[in-house]
Amino acid sequence: MTAGHYGVVRRRIEAFYPDQIVVDLKDESLVRHELSGLGIKAELTESSKGLGLNLYGLVGVAEAVTRLGPNLEQRVRARAAGGYEPGEAPTPLDLLLFHLRETSAQKHAGYQPIVAKNRVYENIEGSPYSGGSAGDPKPAAAFELPARSDGPRRRPRIGVFDTPMYPHEGLAGRYVIDSPRALLSPRPEWVSFSGHAVFVASVAARQAPDADFVVYPVLDAERLVTTSWTLATRLVQSLDDDLDLMIIALGSAAADGREPLTLARACERTSGVVKVAALGNHGQAKERAPAGAVFSDLPSNIPMWPAASSTVIAVGAKDKDGLPAYFSPTPEEAPWTDCLAPGVDLPGLYLPGVVRMADLHVPSGKVVVSDRRATFPHPGHATWSGSSFAAAYTAGYLAHQAYTQGIDAGEAADRLLSGQGVVKLDGFADSGIEVVRPRRN
């Protein structure tokens, strides 16, 4: 299998760069020695002390693995039973990683170096995507966010790891940016997903009017993608920003169903920050879907990372009847779900002007701008559906509880997740947050 658009290998379940690896600092000498022996050139691209990992670009992988013996692919397939769909074959990088681990285990009494792929992560509303006209943002009546209080308590800080932010006047004074590129510049017309970050932040702000937001533009506003390396390094770098919570409305699946190394390391090293992530929009309740809904090719029982991580609160979307939204995996399909929150037709701040609706063509990773469009009156308000917004709703609730009760976000999360049933809160969604997997201390 060769790399496709943007140099990315895309399978049904996963996407990654075929010429990049991530290596634990402790295993750097071992891995570099093995690569050199195979005639593979390894070029250090980036280093992260916060993660304890290095990112390398590789040259010569395809040629090298042809010299590793005729049975390598069979051994890889045997070890990864069920990991390859019909018609899929291990890439040279898959063969190389298997060889590195196998060789080390033979030489060092079972020891395997910590080495992994640099994976592609995508916006949950992009891929997997329940799209079509049913999943588009729609113009909505204008509203104002609840007023902020003048209390003496420190305001909770919520990190939004998403697209760049549209500087909506309704959110003015409630957010800061990590760099100039975190803000979108004005343009005559927009692509629909460019309004994702401001919508996410506003949904959380309706629950937590006293919260401050820090915007981390990890996703390209047009392509909706990032890498596991970029996401993980920004997560650990955000420790300098004194965050209380993180909203992570993006994710990726892995063919082996295991938590990817780079993201697992980042989640582990940000354990003091409450992380809330979108479960994914790859549910398959087609009998309850509106006309025009487009469903993901992913099975609904595939874990999306980081939501499936034990260190993260996984939030699925529920509809106004209190049922899992047609696009959201059910708790039975995704037993790593912690709670369900309103995620259908939520109101939020959005882009003003003409917006062209876009879909992600999953096999190629290309955003396709459709002929669907809508005009959003200034300053921009919309309703939108997705598990991203359910995650934002939950993070906002936790921030509000922390602020009003004088507790930290971790304790607020513990109180929510140690309970059971429905927590009702605001005036625009009656169904509230439903805890489906109580966590017992």
Side-chain angles (χ1 to χ4, degrees), residues 19 27 41 45 72 82 107 115 125 157 200 204 218 221 267 280 391 435:
D19 55 356
D27 294 318
K41 183 179 180 181
T45 302
L72 180 59
K107 292 180 179 178
V115 57
E125 265 63 65
R157 290 170 66 84
V200 163
V218 294
C267 289
V435 177

Side-chain angles (χ1 to χ4, degrees), residues 41-84:
K41 183 179 180 181
E43 299 175 341
L44 179 63
T45 302
E46 291 186 48
S47 183
S48 171
K49 291 184 179 179
L51 292 171
L53 299 170
N54 281 341
L55 175 67
Y56 282 93
L58 305 179
V59 178
V61 176
E63 296 83 0
V65 298
T66 62
R67 302 190 292 270
L68 294 180
N71 298 320
L72 180 59
E73 181 172 334
Q74 287 83 348
R75 298 199 302 278
V76 171
R77 285 185 176 278
R79 180 66 62 87
Y84 295 99

Side-chain angles (χ1 to χ4, degrees), residues 137-140 350-357 373-378 381:
K138 300 174 178 62
Y350 194 60
L351 307 166
V354 177
V355 176
R356 299 182 66 188
M357 305 303 165
R373 64 178 61 206
T375 299
F376 293 78
H378 183 84
H381 294 83

Side-chain angles (χ1 to χ4, degrees), residues 168-415:
H168 197 291
E169 61 188 48
L171 205 62
R174 303 187 191 221
Y175 68 92
V176 297
I177 56 176
D178 78 328
S179 67
R181 67 184 186 88
L183 288 182
L184 293 171
S185 56
R187 59 196 69 184
E189 66 177 30
W190 305 88
V191 175
S192 54
F193 296 122
S194 297
H196 197 263
V198 69
F199 197 96
V200 163
S202 66
V203 169
R206 287 195 72 157
Q207 306 305 313
D210 291 297
D212 288 329
F213 296 87
V214 185
V215 181
Y216 302 93
V218 294
L219 286 168
D220 181 279
E222 304 292 339
R223 290 178 51 209
L224 305 175
V225 299
T226 189
T227 67
S228 56
W229 178 265
T230 297
L231 175 59
T233 54
R234 295 307 291 124
L235 289 172
V236 295
Q237 288 167 1
S238 73
L239 290 173
D240 294 334
D241 296 331
D242 199 23
L243 299 181
D244 300 282
L245 299 106
M246 299 174 177
I247 302 173
I248 310 173
L250 52 92
S252 178
D256 60 6
R258 299 176 183 174
E259 185 172 10
L261 164 66
T262 314
L263 196 58
R265 185 71 60 89
C267 289
E268 170 191 304
R269 298 195 176 191
T270 57
S271 59
V273 183
V274 175
K275 290 171 283 293
V276 184
L279 184 66
N281 291 350
H282 51 296
Q284 301 290 331
K286 298 180 180 180
E287 70 283 357
R288 294 192 290 107
V294 177
F295 286 84
S296 169
D297 287 334
L298 283 180
S300 53
N301 63 349
I302 289 290
M304 295 293 289
W305 307 98
S309 171
S310 62
T311 62
V312 172
I313 298 173
V315 185
K318 60 192 300 190
D319 60 25
K320 294 179 180 179
D321 295 323
L323 299 172
Y326 70 90
F327 54 80
S328 190
T330 68
E332 293 73 28
E333 294 166 327
W336 46 89
T337 307
D338 290 295
C339 55
L340 300 175
V344 175
D345 294 331
L346 293 186
L349 306 182
Y350 194 60
L351 307 166
V354 177
V355 176
R356 299 182 66 188
M357 305 303 165
D359 304 306
L360 182 65
H361 181 250
V362 177
S364 68
K366 295 182 67 176
V367 171
V368 179
V369 179
S370 74
D371 57 2
R372 307 187 310 273
R373 64 178 61 206
T375 299
F376 293 78
H378 183 84
H381 294 83
T383 58
W384 208 350
S385 301
S387 59
S388 293
F389 315 129
Y393 185 105
T394 302
Y397 165 78
L398 294 175
H400 184 65
Q401 293 301 302
Y403 183 78
T404 57
Q405 298 182 31
I407 59 178
D408 63 37
E411 184 173 350
D414 288 342
R415 291 182 182 182

